[in-house]
Amino acid sequence: SNNSDVLHDRIEDDDEWQDILDYEPMTDEQKEWDSLETELSLKYDAIYNEEITYEIDGVDYTKDELTEAVGSGEIGYMDFLDGYYEITREQNEKLAELYIQLVEVRTNIAKSYGYDNYAEYAYDKIYDREYTPEGLKDYKDQVKLYYSPLLEEVYDEYGNYQNEISEMFDVPLTVDEAKEMFESHLADVSDDMLESYTYMVEHNLIDIEQSSTKAPGGYTISISGQYNAPFMYNCASGDFTDFNTLVHEFGHYNEMYYAPYEEWYYGGCNLDLAEIHSQGLELIYDEWADEFYGDYADAMRMYALLNNVYIIVEGCKEDEFQYRVYSDPDNLTVEKLNQLYYEVSEEYGDTDLYDSPFLASMGYGEDDEMLEWVRIPHTFQSPMYYISYSVSMAGVEELRCELEEDRDEGIEKYLQLVAAGTDAEFTATLESVDINSPIENPRFEYYAHNNRLIMGVDDGYRLDGSSQDLDDLDDDDDDDTDAVTDDDTDKKDKKNKKNKTDKKNAEKEDEKSSGFALPMTVIIAGCGVLAVILIVVIIVAI
């Protein structure tokens, strides 16, 4: 237009300006597909929230009611299993059929823009990632090799803290107490962070109170226009999770507070970078866990450790499941999808944490299918999003390496990452502050070593942790690496076999004492720029 120079003056990047000039509106056909995708995505919520019941002796039970009824002795254990499976299967069939329709529509969308499949389309056009699905092969292979065994070890160790963790969440914590805990060490991290926190509180740009009328969850959002300020929201639970959420969300708030004008109005948000701001601050605050949690400090560290390890594994697993679906979208069936999810879960060592294998062992369903994948909303409504959870957490593990080597310097690098903002490439931003990129050079063997040290386990890791050795990790002689890997694999196999045996024996003893097992759903949620719901359905012996 005649006034295009006004806009051009505000966009300094020539490539961004060219993108605007090259913009092409959607065709009528693309508009139809876009509208249909939105319609089908919204159907997910309706079907997911649909009340499904199972009748026993003339009484209809929901899944939660079945759990309560078997616990009180109102129904028998086999009736409970019958109902639990039938409800799970019915929900799986309805949502899987919906997913098949979504895959078809999204495949048409991707091909209309010249992409081979929707996975490549989403990585590039929706999330503007610097890496491709195929480019993550080494990253994912290392997760399978080093983090899948670690997840099993952490989960076994987590069981030793189960009672303490349950007690911890029964300890009341007011919002004022959470604020006081958080503020007590803000200046130890940065005077600038104390400034942004003080501004937030004094100007009422925070609402984290308990209320029965508030929507659940927590997030940080920018209020542009007259206010030009970030705002933090959380529906408090009255326990320690409120403190954790405050730390997490303030990582996002603080970045937004200092973000430059360009980011507020024209910048994008690199999801892989954004979560380092929040999860990285949680990592820094772990230094004061003993002060914050007292007798529950070790339990809280284990709770956080399970969350961190699981996010990395789950992020890869969910991404790989969706990638395989979108790469071969023809002739999909409910059965094929369930089998594929089981196959991927098995590759990542994640089959034991779901109900399906247990139910199959009792004669309900097939032993090569997993039904719970339909309970993850992102798969339906934010396709190919999940890998950002894994990549951002791997970035946090790199920050952990820096903090362990020199805490003051690690904090300074964290603050430099915050100052860099979210409108930049992941690898370039990390490298600009001299932090290794887990995309360019994944080091999951080293991350696993650090996490085992947190558990008090010395795994005999061969590197001394110095920066030079870590940078040379990929340059080791192949023969040398193979020798170490074979030896380590033998040790891991023996340890895993022992862990599984001990776990099975413990489960048998627990089952003898009670006579039945109940399902437990663990939801790990990280809010703010990212809103993650990782669903783990676990059979625990009561």
Side-chain angles (χ1 to χ4, degrees), residues 98-152:
L98 174 67
Y99 187 61
I100 291 171
Q101 296 178 58
L102 275 167
V103 170
E104 181 180 356
V105 171
R106 287 170 176 157
T107 297
N108 289 332
I109 291 174
K111 290 186 175 180
S112 74
Y113 285 101
Y115 291 87
D116 290 337
N117 58 66
Y118 186 82
E120 294 179 358
Y121 166 88
Y123 264 55
D124 183 37
K125 195 169 180 67
I126 297 179
Y127 304 117
D128 193 26
R129 293 184 174 125
E130 65 192 73
Y131 49 89
T132 65
E134 296 82 1
L136 286 179
K137 184 180 185 307
D138 184 34
Y139 181 99
K140 290 182 178 179
D141 285 347
Q142 285 201 28
V143 170
K144 293 176 187 177
L145 180 60
Y146 299 116
Y147 254 56
S148 292
L150 176 65
L151 177 61
E152 184 174 358

Short mmCIF file of all heavy atoms in Angstrom, two decimals, residues 98-152:
data_model
loop_
_atom_site.label_atom_id
_atom_site.label_comp_id
_atom_site.label_asym_id
_atom_site.label_seq_id
_atom_site.Cartn_x
_atom_site.Cartn_y
_atom_site.Cartn_z
N LEU A 98 -11.65 -40.38 15.56
CA LEU A 98 -11.54 -38.94 15.34
C LEU A 98 -10.13 -38.59 14.86
O LEU A 98 -9.97 -37.76 13.95
CB LEU A 98 -11.86 -38.19 16.63
CG LEU A 98 -11.67 -36.67 16.61
CD1 LEU A 98 -12.67 -36.01 15.68
CD2 LEU A 98 -11.78 -36.09 18.02
N TYR A 99 -9.13 -39.22 15.46
CA TYR A 99 -7.74 -38.93 15.11
C TYR A 99 -7.45 -39.30 13.64
O TYR A 99 -6.74 -38.58 12.95
CB TYR A 99 -6.80 -39.69 16.04
CG TYR A 99 -5.35 -39.32 15.86
CD1 TYR A 99 -4.90 -38.03 16.07
CD2 TYR A 99 -4.41 -40.29 15.48
CE1 TYR A 99 -3.56 -37.69 15.92
CE2 TYR A 99 -3.08 -39.96 15.32
CZ TYR A 99 -2.66 -38.66 15.54
OH TYR A 99 -1.34 -38.33 15.38
N ILE A 100 -8.01 -40.40 13.20
CA ILE A 100 -7.81 -40.83 11.81
C ILE A 100 -8.34 -39.76 10.85
O ILE A 100 -7.72 -39.46 9.82
CB ILE A 100 -8.50 -42.19 11.57
CG1 ILE A 100 -7.75 -43.30 12.34
CG2 ILE A 100 -8.54 -42.53 10.08
CD1 ILE A 100 -8.47 -44.64 12.35
N GLN A 101 -9.47 -39.16 11.19
CA GLN A 101 -10.02 -38.07 10.36
C GLN A 101 -9.08 -36.86 10.37
O GLN A 101 -8.85 -36.23 9.33
CB GLN A 101 -11.40 -37.66 10.89
CG GLN A 101 -12.46 -38.74 10.80
CD GLN A 101 -13.79 -38.28 11.37
OE1 GLN A 101 -14.35 -37.29 10.93
NE2 GLN A 101 -14.27 -38.98 12.39
N LEU A 102 -8.55 -36.54 11.54
CA LEU A 102 -7.64 -35.41 11.65
C LEU A 102 -6.37 -35.62 10.82
O LEU A 102 -5.88 -34.70 10.16
CB LEU A 102 -7.26 -35.17 13.12
CG LEU A 102 -8.23 -34.32 13.94
CD1 LEU A 102 -7.91 -34.44 15.43
CD2 LEU A 102 -8.18 -32.86 13.50
N VAL A 103 -5.85 -36.84 10.87
CA VAL A 103 -4.64 -37.15 10.11
C VAL A 103 -4.88 -36.95 8.62
O VAL A 103 -4.03 -36.39 7.90
CB VAL A 103 -4.16 -38.59 10.40
CG1 VAL A 103 -3.05 -39.00 9.43
CG2 VAL A 103 -3.68 -38.71 11.83
N GLU A 104 -6.03 -37.38 8.13
CA GLU A 104 -6.35 -37.23 6.71
C GLU A 104 -6.42 -35.76 6.31
O GLU A 104 -5.86 -35.34 5.29
CB GLU A 104 -7.69 -37.92 6.40
CG GLU A 104 -8.07 -37.82 4.93
CD GLU A 104 -9.41 -38.51 4.63
OE1 GLU A 104 -9.99 -39.12 5.55
OE2 GLU A 104 -9.85 -38.42 3.47
N VAL A 105 -7.10 -34.95 7.14
CA VAL A 105 -7.23 -33.53 6.84
C VAL A 105 -5.87 -32.85 6.88
O VAL A 105 -5.52 -32.05 5.98
CB VAL A 105 -8.19 -32.86 7.84
CG1 VAL A 105 -8.17 -31.34 7.68
CG2 VAL A 105 -9.61 -33.38 7.64
N ARG A 106 -5.08 -33.14 7.88
CA ARG A 106 -3.77 -32.50 8.03
C ARG A 106 -2.80 -32.92 6.92
O ARG A 106 -1.95 -32.12 6.50
CB ARG A 106 -3.20 -32.79 9.41
CG ARG A 106 -3.92 -32.02 10.51
CD ARG A 106 -3.55 -32.47 11.89
NE ARG A 106 -4.21 -31.62 12.89
CZ ARG A 106 -4.44 -31.99 14.14
NH1 ARG A 106 -4.06 -33.19 14.56
NH2 ARG A 106 -5.03 -31.16 14.98
N THR A 107 -2.93 -34.14 6.48
CA THR A 107 -2.09 -34.58 5.36
C THR A 107 -2.42 -33.78 4.11
O THR A 107 -1.52 -33.36 3.37
CB THR A 107 -2.31 -36.09 5.10
OG1 THR A 107 -1.88 -36.83 6.26
CG2 THR A 107 -1.50 -36.55 3.90
N ASN A 108 -3.69 -33.52 3.87
CA ASN A 108 -4.10 -32.69 2.73
C ASN A 108 -3.57 -31.27 2.86
O ASN A 108 -3.12 -30.67 1.87
CB ASN A 108 -5.63 -32.66 2.61
CG ASN A 108 -6.20 -33.99 2.15
OD1 ASN A 108 -5.54 -34.74 1.43
ND2 ASN A 108 -7.43 -34.28 2.55
N ILE A 109 -3.62 -30.73 4.07
CA ILE A 109 -3.10 -29.38 4.30
C ILE A 109 -1.62 -29.31 3.97
O ILE A 109 -1.15 -28.41 3.26
CB ILE A 109 -3.35 -28.95 5.77
CG1 ILE A 109 -4.85 -28.74 6.02
CG2 ILE A 109 -2.57 -27.67 6.09
CD1 ILE A 109 -5.20 -28.45 7.47
N ALA A 110 -0.85 -30.26 4.50
CA ALA A 110 0.60 -30.27 4.29
C ALA A 110 0.97 -30.38 2.82
O ALA A 110 1.83 -29.65 2.32
CB ALA A 110 1.23 -31.42 5.08
N LYS A 111 0.30 -31.27 2.12
CA LYS A 111 0.62 -31.47 0.70
C LYS A 111 0.22 -30.27 -0.14
O LYS A 111 0.86 -29.99 -1.16
CB LYS A 111 -0.05 -32.75 0.20
CG LYS A 111 0.58 -34.01 0.78
CD LYS A 111 0.01 -35.28 0.18
CE LYS A 111 0.76 -36.51 0.70
NZ LYS A 111 0.24 -37.77 0.14
N SER A 112 -0.79 -29.55 0.29
CA SER A 112 -1.20 -28.36 -0.47
C SER A 112 -0.14 -27.27 -0.39
O SER A 112 -0.09 -26.38 -1.25
CB SER A 112 -2.53 -27.82 0.06
OG SER A 112 -2.37 -27.17 1.31
N TYR A 113 0.71 -27.34 0.63
CA TYR A 113 1.80 -26.37 0.77
C TYR A 113 3.13 -26.94 0.27
O TYR A 113 4.18 -26.32 0.45
CB TYR A 113 1.94 -25.93 2.23
CG TYR A 113 0.87 -24.97 2.68
CD1 TYR A 113 -0.22 -25.43 3.43
CD2 TYR A 113 0.93 -23.62 2.37
CE1 TYR A 113 -1.21 -24.55 3.86
CE2 TYR A 113 -0.05 -22.74 2.78
CZ TYR A 113 -1.12 -23.21 3.53
OH TYR A 113 -2.11 -22.33 3.95
N GLY A 114 3.08 -28.11 -0.32
CA GLY A 114 4.28 -28.67 -0.93
C GLY A 114 5.14 -29.52 -0.03
O GLY A 114 6.29 -29.84 -0.38
N TYR A 115 4.63 -29.93 1.13
CA TYR A 115 5.40 -30.78 2.05
C TYR A 115 5.05 -32.24 1.82
O TYR A 115 3.93 -32.58 1.42
CB TYR A 115 5.08 -30.41 3.50
CG TYR A 115 5.61 -29.05 3.91
CD1 TYR A 115 4.84 -27.90 3.69
CD2 TYR A 115 6.85 -28.91 4.51
CE1 TYR A 115 5.31 -26.64 4.06
CE2 TYR A 115 7.32 -27.65 4.89
CZ TYR A 115 6.55 -26.53 4.66
OH TYR A 115 7.02 -25.30 5.02
N ASP A 116 6.02 -33.11 2.11
CA ASP A 116 5.80 -34.55 1.92
C ASP A 116 4.80 -35.10 2.92
O ASP A 116 4.03 -36.02 2.60
CB ASP A 116 7.12 -35.32 2.06
CG ASP A 116 8.05 -35.05 0.89
OD1 ASP A 116 7.55 -34.66 -0.19
OD2 ASP A 116 9.27 -35.22 1.05
N ASN A 117 4.81 -34.58 4.13
CA ASN A 117 3.88 -35.05 5.16
C ASN A 117 3.65 -33.94 6.19
O ASN A 117 4.36 -32.92 6.20
CB ASN A 117 4.40 -36.32 5.86
CG ASN A 117 5.76 -36.11 6.50
OD1 ASN A 117 5.91 -35.35 7.45
ND2 ASN A 117 6.78 -36.79 5.97
N TYR A 118 2.68 -34.17 7.05
CA TYR A 118 2.29 -33.12 8.00
C TYR A 118 3.34 -32.89 9.07
O TYR A 118 3.47 -31.77 9.59
CB TYR A 118 0.96 -33.48 8.66
CG TYR A 118 0.43 -32.36 9.54
CD1 TYR A 118 -0.27 -31.30 8.96
CD2 TYR A 118 0.65 -32.36 10.91
CE1 TYR A 118 -0.74 -30.25 9.75
CE2 TYR A 118 0.18 -31.32 11.70
CZ TYR A 118 -0.50 -30.27 11.12
OH TYR A 118 -0.96 -29.24 11.89
N ALA A 119 4.11 -33.92 9.42
CA ALA A 119 5.15 -33.75 10.44
C ALA A 119 6.16 -32.69 9.99
O ALA A 119 6.53 -31.80 10.76
CB ALA A 119 5.85 -35.08 10.71
N GLU A 120 6.61 -32.79 8.75
CA GLU A 120 7.57 -31.82 8.22
C GLU A 120 6.93 -30.43 8.13
O GLU A 120 7.57 -29.42 8.40
CB GLU A 120 8.07 -32.27 6.86
CG GLU A 120 8.90 -33.56 6.92
CD GLU A 120 9.37 -34.02 5.55
OE1 GLU A 120 9.01 -33.35 4.55
OE2 GLU A 120 10.08 -35.04 5.47
N TYR A 121 5.65 -30.40 7.72
CA TYR A 121 4.91 -29.14 7.65
C TYR A 121 4.85 -28.46 9.01
O TYR A 121 5.12 -27.26 9.15
CB TYR A 121 3.50 -29.41 7.11
CG TYR A 121 2.52 -28.28 7.28
CD1 TYR A 121 2.41 -27.28 6.32
CD2 TYR A 121 1.68 -28.23 8.39
CE1 TYR A 121 1.49 -26.25 6.47
CE2 TYR A 121 0.77 -27.20 8.55
CZ TYR A 121 0.67 -26.21 7.60
OH TYR A 121 -0.24 -25.19 7.75
N ALA A 122 4.50 -29.22 10.05
CA ALA A 122 4.34 -28.66 11.39
C ALA A 122 5.67 -28.15 11.95
O ALA A 122 5.74 -27.06 12.53
CB ALA A 122 3.73 -29.70 12.33
N TYR A 123 6.72 -28.95 11.80
CA TYR A 123 8.05 -28.54 12.28
C TYR A 123 8.46 -27.20 11.66
O TYR A 123 9.01 -26.33 12.35
CB TYR A 123 9.09 -29.60 11.91
CG TYR A 123 9.41 -30.60 12.99
CD1 TYR A 123 8.39 -31.36 13.58
CD2 TYR A 123 10.71 -30.80 13.42
CE1 TYR A 123 8.69 -32.30 14.56
CE2 TYR A 123 11.02 -31.73 14.41
CZ TYR A 123 10.00 -32.49 14.97
OH TYR A 123 10.31 -33.40 15.94
N ASP A 124 8.21 -27.05 10.37
CA ASP A 124 8.69 -25.87 9.66
C ASP A 124 7.70 -24.71 9.72
O ASP A 124 8.03 -23.62 10.17
CB ASP A 124 8.96 -26.25 8.19
CG ASP A 124 9.54 -25.09 7.39
OD1 ASP A 124 10.33 -24.33 7.96
OD2 ASP A 124 9.20 -24.97 6.20
N LYS A 125 6.48 -24.95 9.29
CA LYS A 125 5.53 -23.85 9.09
C LYS A 125 4.85 -23.41 10.39
O LYS A 125 4.59 -22.22 10.58
CB LYS A 125 4.48 -24.25 8.06
CG LYS A 125 3.68 -23.07 7.51
CD LYS A 125 2.85 -23.50 6.32
CE LYS A 125 2.05 -22.33 5.76
NZ LYS A 125 2.92 -21.29 5.16
N ILE A 126 4.54 -24.35 11.27
CA ILE A 126 3.84 -24.00 12.50
C ILE A 126 4.81 -23.56 13.59
O ILE A 126 4.63 -22.52 14.23
CB ILE A 126 2.97 -25.17 13.00
CG1 ILE A 126 1.88 -25.49 11.97
CG2 ILE A 126 2.33 -24.83 14.34
CD1 ILE A 126 0.99 -26.66 12.37
N TYR A 127 5.86 -24.37 13.82
CA TYR A 127 6.76 -24.11 14.95
C TYR A 127 8.08 -23.46 14.55
O TYR A 127 8.85 -23.05 15.42
CB TYR A 127 7.03 -25.42 15.70
CG TYR A 127 5.77 -26.09 16.17
CD1 TYR A 127 5.40 -27.35 15.69
CD2 TYR A 127 4.92 -25.46 17.08
CE1 TYR A 127 4.23 -27.96 16.11
CE2 TYR A 127 3.75 -26.07 17.49
CZ TYR A 127 3.41 -27.32 17.00
OH TYR A 127 2.25 -27.92 17.42
N ASP A 128 8.32 -23.36 13.25
CA ASP A 128 9.52 -22.69 12.75
C ASP A 128 10.78 -23.21 13.45
O ASP A 128 11.63 -22.44 13.90
CB ASP A 128 9.40 -21.17 12.94
CG ASP A 128 10.46 -20.40 12.16
OD1 ASP A 128 10.93 -20.93 11.13
OD2 ASP A 128 10.81 -19.30 12.59
N ARG A 129 10.90 -24.53 13.54
CA ARG A 129 12.06 -25.12 14.22
C ARG A 129 13.28 -25.12 13.31
O ARG A 129 13.14 -25.18 12.09
CB ARG A 129 11.73 -26.55 14.66
CG ARG A 129 10.67 -26.61 15.75
CD ARG A 129 10.44 -28.03 16.24
NE ARG A 129 9.52 -28.04 17.38
CZ ARG A 129 8.40 -28.74 17.43
NH1 ARG A 129 8.06 -29.51 16.40
NH2 ARG A 129 7.63 -28.70 18.51
N GLU A 130 14.43 -25.08 13.92
CA GLU A 130 15.68 -25.09 13.16
C GLU A 130 16.09 -26.50 12.78
O GLU A 130 17.04 -26.69 12.02
CB GLU A 130 16.80 -24.45 13.99
CG GLU A 130 17.16 -25.23 15.24
CD GLU A 130 18.05 -24.45 16.17
OE1 GLU A 130 17.57 -23.52 16.83
OE2 GLU A 130 19.24 -24.80 16.24
N TYR A 131 15.41 -27.51 13.31
CA TYR A 131 15.73 -28.90 13.04
C TYR A 131 14.53 -29.60 12.42
O TYR A 131 13.39 -29.14 12.54
CB TYR A 131 16.16 -29.63 14.31
CG TYR A 131 15.23 -29.42 15.49
CD1 TYR A 131 14.14 -30.26 15.72
CD2 TYR A 131 15.43 -28.37 16.39
CE1 TYR A 131 13.29 -30.08 16.79
CE2 TYR A 131 14.58 -28.18 17.47
CZ TYR A 131 13.51 -29.03 17.66
OH TYR A 131 12.66 -28.84 18.72
N THR A 132 14.78 -30.69 11.74
CA THR A 132 13.73 -31.49 11.09
C THR A 132 13.49 -32.76 11.89
O THR A 132 14.32 -33.14 12.73
CB THR A 132 14.15 -31.87 9.66
OG1 THR A 132 15.30 -32.75 9.73
CG2 THR A 132 14.49 -30.63 8.85
N PRO A 133 12.38 -33.44 11.65
CA PRO A 133 12.16 -34.72 12.35
C PRO A 133 13.29 -35.72 12.09
O PRO A 133 13.74 -36.40 13.01
CB PRO A 133 10.84 -35.22 11.75
CG PRO A 133 10.12 -33.99 11.30
CD PRO A 133 11.21 -33.06 10.83
N GLU A 134 13.76 -35.77 10.86
CA GLU A 134 14.84 -36.70 10.53
C GLU A 134 16.16 -36.29 11.19
O GLU A 134 17.00 -37.14 11.51
CB GLU A 134 15.04 -36.78 9.01
CG GLU A 134 13.86 -37.34 8.25
CD GLU A 134 12.77 -36.31 7.98
OE1 GLU A 134 12.94 -35.13 8.39
OE2 GLU A 134 11.73 -36.67 7.39
N GLY A 135 16.33 -34.99 11.41
CA GLY A 135 17.56 -34.50 12.01
C GLY A 135 17.71 -34.82 13.49
O GLY A 135 18.76 -34.57 14.08
N LEU A 136 16.65 -35.36 14.10
CA LEU A 136 16.69 -35.69 15.52
C LEU A 136 17.05 -37.15 15.78
O LEU A 136 16.94 -37.62 16.91
CB LEU A 136 15.33 -35.40 16.16
CG LEU A 136 14.98 -33.93 16.38
CD1 LEU A 136 13.60 -33.83 17.01
CD2 LEU A 136 16.00 -33.24 17.26
N LYS A 137 17.46 -37.88 14.76
CA LYS A 137 17.70 -39.31 14.92
C LYS A 137 18.75 -39.59 16.01
O LYS A 137 18.52 -40.41 16.90
CB LYS A 137 18.16 -39.95 13.61
CG LYS A 137 18.32 -41.47 13.71
CD LYS A 137 18.77 -42.09 12.40
CE LYS A 137 18.79 -43.61 12.50
NZ LYS A 137 19.57 -44.12 13.65
N ASP A 138 19.89 -38.91 15.97
CA ASP A 138 20.93 -39.14 16.96
C ASP A 138 20.43 -38.76 18.35
O ASP A 138 20.69 -39.46 19.34
CB ASP A 138 22.18 -38.33 16.62
CG ASP A 138 23.34 -38.61 17.57
OD1 ASP A 138 23.46 -39.76 18.03
OD2 ASP A 138 24.11 -37.68 17.86
N TYR A 139 19.69 -37.66 18.43
CA TYR A 139 19.11 -37.19 19.70
C TYR A 139 18.22 -38.28 20.30
O TYR A 139 18.36 -38.66 21.47
CB TYR A 139 18.32 -35.92 19.43
CG TYR A 139 17.67 -35.28 20.64
CD1 TYR A 139 18.27 -34.22 21.30
CD2 TYR A 139 16.43 -35.72 21.09
CE1 TYR A 139 17.66 -33.62 22.39
CE2 TYR A 139 15.82 -35.14 22.18
CZ TYR A 139 16.42 -34.07 22.83
OH TYR A 139 15.81 -33.49 23.91
N LYS A 140 17.29 -38.79 19.49
CA LYS A 140 16.35 -39.80 19.99
C LYS A 140 17.04 -41.13 20.29
O LYS A 140 16.67 -41.82 21.25
CB LYS A 140 15.22 -40.00 18.98
CG LYS A 140 14.28 -38.81 18.88
CD LYS A 140 13.15 -39.09 17.89
CE LYS A 140 12.17 -37.93 17.82
NZ LYS A 140 11.08 -38.18 16.85
N ASP A 141 18.02 -41.50 19.47
CA ASP A 141 18.75 -42.74 19.73
C ASP A 141 19.45 -42.68 21.09
O ASP A 141 19.48 -43.67 21.83
CB ASP A 141 19.78 -43.00 18.62
CG ASP A 141 19.15 -43.48 17.33
OD1 ASP A 141 17.95 -43.85 17.36
OD2 ASP A 141 19.83 -43.47 16.29
N GLN A 142 20.00 -41.52 21.42
CA GLN A 142 20.67 -41.39 22.71
C GLN A 142 19.67 -41.42 23.87
O GLN A 142 19.96 -41.96 24.94
CB GLN A 142 21.48 -40.09 22.75
CG GLN A 142 22.76 -40.13 21.97
CD GLN A 142 23.76 -39.08 22.42
OE1 GLN A 142 23.77 -38.66 23.58
NE2 GLN A 142 24.62 -38.66 21.51
N VAL A 143 18.49 -40.84 23.65
CA VAL A 143 17.45 -40.90 24.69
C VAL A 143 17.09 -42.35 24.98
O VAL A 143 16.97 -42.77 26.13
CB VAL A 143 16.21 -40.10 24.26
CG1 VAL A 143 15.04 -40.37 25.22
CG2 VAL A 143 16.52 -38.60 24.22
N LYS A 144 16.92 -43.15 23.91
CA LYS A 144 16.59 -44.57 24.09
C LYS A 144 17.71 -45.31 24.81
O LYS A 144 17.46 -46.16 25.67
CB LYS A 144 16.34 -45.22 22.73
CG LYS A 144 15.10 -44.74 22.00
CD LYS A 144 15.00 -45.38 20.62
CE LYS A 144 13.87 -44.80 19.80
NZ LYS A 144 13.81 -45.37 18.44
N LEU A 145 18.95 -45.00 24.45
CA LEU A 145 20.10 -45.74 24.98
C LEU A 145 20.39 -45.38 26.44
O LEU A 145 20.68 -46.27 27.25
CB LEU A 145 21.34 -45.45 24.12
CG LEU A 145 22.65 -46.14 24.54
CD1 LEU A 145 22.49 -47.66 24.50
CD2 LEU A 145 23.79 -45.69 23.63
N TYR A 146 20.31 -44.08 26.77
CA TYR A 146 20.75 -43.64 28.09
C TYR A 146 19.61 -43.24 29.03
O TYR A 146 19.71 -43.43 30.25
CB TYR A 146 21.71 -42.46 27.96
CG TYR A 146 22.97 -42.79 27.19
CD1 TYR A 146 23.24 -42.17 25.97
CD2 TYR A 146 23.87 -43.74 27.66
CE1 TYR A 146 24.39 -42.47 25.25
CE2 TYR A 146 25.01 -44.05 26.95
CZ TYR A 146 25.28 -43.42 25.75
OH TYR A 146 26.40 -43.73 25.05
N TYR A 147 18.52 -42.67 28.48
CA TYR A 147 17.48 -42.14 29.36
C TYR A 147 16.35 -43.13 29.63
O TYR A 147 15.71 -43.05 30.67
CB TYR A 147 16.93 -40.84 28.79
CG TYR A 147 17.41 -39.63 29.57
CD1 TYR A 147 18.78 -39.41 29.74
CD2 TYR A 147 16.53 -38.73 30.16
CE1 TYR A 147 19.24 -38.33 30.45
CE2 TYR A 147 16.99 -37.64 30.87
CZ TYR A 147 18.34 -37.44 31.02
OH TYR A 147 18.79 -36.37 31.74
N SER A 148 16.09 -44.04 28.71
CA SER A 148 15.06 -45.04 28.97
C SER A 148 15.44 -45.93 30.15
O SER A 148 14.61 -46.16 31.04
CB SER A 148 14.80 -45.87 27.71
OG SER A 148 14.20 -45.07 26.71
N PRO A 149 16.68 -46.44 30.23
CA PRO A 149 17.08 -47.20 31.42
C PRO A 149 17.07 -46.32 32.67
O PRO A 149 16.71 -46.78 33.76
CB PRO A 149 18.50 -47.67 31.09
CG PRO A 149 18.60 -47.63 29.61
CD PRO A 149 17.74 -46.47 29.19
N LEU A 150 17.47 -45.05 32.51
CA LEU A 150 17.47 -44.14 33.65
C LEU A 150 16.07 -43.93 34.19
O LEU A 150 15.86 -43.88 35.41
CB LEU A 150 18.08 -42.79 33.24
CG LEU A 150 18.06 -41.69 34.30
CD1 LEU A 150 18.94 -42.07 35.49
CD2 LEU A 150 18.51 -40.36 33.70
N LEU A 151 15.09 -43.82 33.30
CA LEU A 151 13.70 -43.63 33.73
C LEU A 151 13.26 -44.77 34.63
O LEU A 151 12.62 -44.55 35.66
CB LEU A 151 12.79 -43.52 32.51
CG LEU A 151 11.29 -43.38 32.81
CD1 LEU A 151 11.00 -42.12 33.61
CD2 LEU A 151 10.47 -43.38 31.52
N GLU A 152 13.60 -45.99 34.26
CA GLU A 152 13.22 -47.15 35.08
C GLU A 152 13.90 -47.08 36.45
O GLU A 152 13.29 -47.36 37.48
CB GLU A 152 13.59 -48.45 34.38
CG GLU A 152 13.13 -49.68 35.14
CD GLU A 152 13.36 -50.97 34.37
OE1 GLU A 152 13.83 -50.89 33.22
OE2 GLU A 152 13.05 -52.03 34.92
#
